[in-house]
Amino acid sequence: MSFYGLEIAKSALFVSQQGIQLSGHNIANAATEGYTRQSLVMQAIDPASLAGRFASVSHNNVGKGVQSLYITQIRNTYVDRALRKEYADLGQYNIRSDKMAYLEEMFDERKDTGVLAQLSEFINSMQELSGDTLSKEYRMAAQQSAVTLTKTFNHYYTQLSDLQSQMNDSMKVTVDSINTIVKSIAAYNKSIASYELNGDHANDLRDKRNLLLDELSTLVDITYSEDTEGKLSVKVGDTEVVSHTEYTQLQAVADQTGIVTGATGFYRVCVTDADGNLAEVSYSSGELAGYRQLRDGN
């Protein structure tokens, strides 16, 4: 075998060894959350050519073997976007289902202490009193049923107020989680950009960033795009919260003016605009939307 043939065999061995190592990496991370299977992209090496004016031309030149170009992820961006849209809807309906179940249990009219039972008792007592307004017994019964009905209304008001406070607290926790994720995505963008300066693919870092995008999509609806330079931007509604390595923090602000729902005390999600004023952020799905729709009575 010629030295040229040995070079071809050497290239095949090196690429095969890299492929075996990559297979081991895939197997080792089979149970790793968010890991994307990786594949080695190979390319044939062109035949050697003699760069000379009087070099003989031959049609029987053999290539120099094989070389590895890069390691790519076996991932479908269309499926990613579709799943994240479903994650957002799931997050929204989970919140609404949980809170509506709480309200259903609270207003359980099968109980004798429910609003309907107390209201019926009050109406009956008033009807009896109207038949004999001078009866001390009927007057005492009507008074007692009115007191009981008032206490029932106050009880439900207290429970609804507590639920509002719980939703406000949960909404603030969700906004804090969004801010943490957004900051982490911007940090990963910076790490990925630095890693890929020399043409390599930061596959494992991209997996971690994709996990954060999955988690973010359950909290609030997002749109995202990556330009030809690999710079990722993320939007919540119409608000850009990540622009490559820059990020914007959201705020959960108590609505003291009642401009959102006509009632004060509810939280709204805002961002500081270029003039330093708070501007409300629009969003349609995810946990935040579940809280907002319950707040607005939808």
Side-chain angles (χ1 to χ4, degrees), residues 11-274:
S11 70
L13 287 173
F14 284 165
V15 171
S16 297
Q17 184 180 28
Q18 190 175 4
I20 291 172
Q21 292 172 346
L22 182 57
S23 297
H25 183 61
N26 286 332
I27 294 171
N29 287 280
T32 301
E33 182 184 7
Y35 180 78
T36 304
R37 187 162 62 93
Q38 301 176 11
S39 175
L40 184 65
V41 178
M42 298 173 287
Q43 183 183 60
I45 303 176
D46 294 335
S49 59
L50 297 176
R53 179 180 297 181
F54 302 105
S56 60
V57 178
S58 173
H59 299 287
N60 298 317
N61 289 337
V62 178
K64 295 174 64 178
V66 66
Q67 63 180 342
S68 60
L69 293 180
Y70 55 85
I71 297 174
T72 186
Q73 292 179 305
I74 304 176
R75 195 176 184 106
N76 189 306
T77 55
Y78 172 79
V79 174
D80 282 342
R81 293 183 186 276
L83 279 175
R84 284 164 187 158
K85 175 62 172 64
E86 297 302 319
Y87 289 155
D89 291 339
L90 178 63
Q92 172 189 347
Y93 291 123
N94 279 341
I95 292 299
R96 295 183 66 183
S97 175
D98 179 61
K99 300 307 178 185
M100 292 303 291
Y102 176 86
L103 291 173
E104 184 180 15
E105 176 65 24
M106 184 172 68
F107 289 102
D108 188 358
E109 292 303 326
R110 296 172 298 177
K111 300 177 181 178
D112 294 335
T113 56
V115 174
L116 184 59
Q118 299 299 328
L119 187 60
S120 297
E121 185 177 342
F122 174 71
I123 293 174
N124 291 335
S125 65
M126 292 301 294
Q127 288 176 344
E128 290 177 345
L129 179 61
S130 65
D132 186 0
T133 57
L134 298 178
S135 172
K136 184 176 180 181
E137 180 182 351
Y138 288 160
R139 293 169 72 177
M140 290 295 295
Q143 181 184 20
Q144 185 59 42
S145 62
V147 171
T148 303
L149 181 61
T150 303
K151 288 182 177 179
T152 301
F153 283 138
N154 288 335
H155 171 71
Y156 284 123
Y157 173 81
T158 301
Q159 285 192 302
L160 289 173
S161 296
D162 291 343
L163 178 60
Q164 176 186 327
S165 298
Q166 292 172 16
M167 289 176 58
N168 282 343
D169 292 342
S170 298
M171 197 171 187
K172 187 177 186 306
V173 170
T174 300
V175 170
D176 290 342
S177 297
I178 290 173
N179 288 335
T180 300
I181 294 172
V182 162
K183 183 177 180 180
S184 298
I185 290 175
Y188 274 118
N189 285 344
K190 183 176 181 179
S191 299
I192 291 170
S194 299
Y195 188 93
E196 295 182 347
L197 278 176
N198 60 352
D200 289 336
H201 288 223
N203 295 322
D204 295 321
L205 290 175
R206 286 178 173 272
D207 281 342
K208 295 175 181 177
R209 188 178 68 181
N210 278 320
L211 268 179
L212 291 176
L213 288 173
D214 290 343
E215 184 179 356
L216 183 61
S217 67
T218 65
L219 303 178
V220 67
D221 68 307
I222 60 171
T223 54
Y224 57 94
S225 61
E226 188 173 358
D227 62 19
T228 55
E229 296 180 355
K231 296 180 179 179
L232 179 74
S233 62
V234 182
K235 286 186 176 182
V236 171
D238 297 328
T239 304
E240 188 173 57
V241 292
V242 177
S243 178
H244 193 38
T245 59
E246 303 294 327
Y247 61 91
T248 300
Q249 298 281 271
L250 305 180
Q251 301 178 55
V253 181
D255 181 21
Q256 301 297 342
T257 61
I259 63 173
V260 177
T261 63
T264 60
F266 292 102
Y267 276 21
R268 56 193 179 111
V269 180
C270 300
V271 65
T272 304
D273 60 20

